[in-house]
Amino acid sequence: MKHLAAYLLLTLGGNESPSAKDIKNVLSAVGIEADADRVKALLTELDGKDINELISEGASKLASVPSGGAGGAAAAAGGAAAGGADAPAAEEKEEEKEESDEDMGFGLFD
């Protein structure tokens, strides 16, 4: 990832086709040693491709990936509806645990 970040920084800076040496120079400027094999693999993958087009394609692919924010809530709500009788019993058990914590014999600021 750091090699790709260096490549992107170089392209943002106006270097449309960064070399391995350019990437190594950027990384060494911040105290990171570049892995020659990874730099070579990165440059091989990106050879002849427009980085802006690749970013646009990736963004459109990510837009189609579900983020999952509401999926877990719906599943939890469905489970609660199916086992509605068990929900109050679980709450009572949690309250008992909280009450037993108070009987430790010392306070936080004693």
Side-chain angles (χ1 to χ4, degrees), residues 27 41 49 78:
L27 292 175
K49 297 177 182 173

Side-chain angles (χ1 to χ4, degrees), residues 1-4 20 23-24 27 33-46:
M1 194 60 100
K2 58 189 169 192
H3 301 93
L4 177 60
I23 293 171
K24 288 178 184 179
L27 292 175
E33 187 176 333
D35 182 358
D37 293 333
R38 289 188 182 209
V39 171
K40 183 179 177 181
L42 175 69
L43 292 175
T44 301
E45 287 290 324
L46 297 175

Side-chain angles (χ1 to χ4, degrees), residues 93-108:
K93 289 180 184 177
E94 289 179 23
E95 289 177 14
E96 289 176 15
K97 289 180 185 177
E98 290 176 14
E99 291 174 7
S100 67
D101 289 344
E102 294 175 351
D103 297 332
M104 293 181 154
F106 63 91
L108 183 61

Side-chain angles (χ1 to χ4, degrees), residues 67-87:
S67 61
D86 295 334

Side-chain angles (χ1 to χ4, degrees), residues 50-110:
D50 181 25
I51 195 69
N52 293 319
E53 288 178 17
L54 292 174
I55 291 172
S56 296
E57 289 175 20
S60 65
K61 288 179 182 179
L62 282 176
S64 66
V65 175
S67 61
D86 295 334
E91 289 179 15
E92 290 176 15
K93 289 180 184 177
E94 289 179 23
E95 289 177 14
E96 289 176 15
K97 289 180 185 177
E98 290 176 14
E99 291 174 7
S100 67
D101 289 344
E102 294 175 351
D103 297 332
M104 293 181 154
F106 63 91
L108 183 61
F109 299 106
D110 288 342

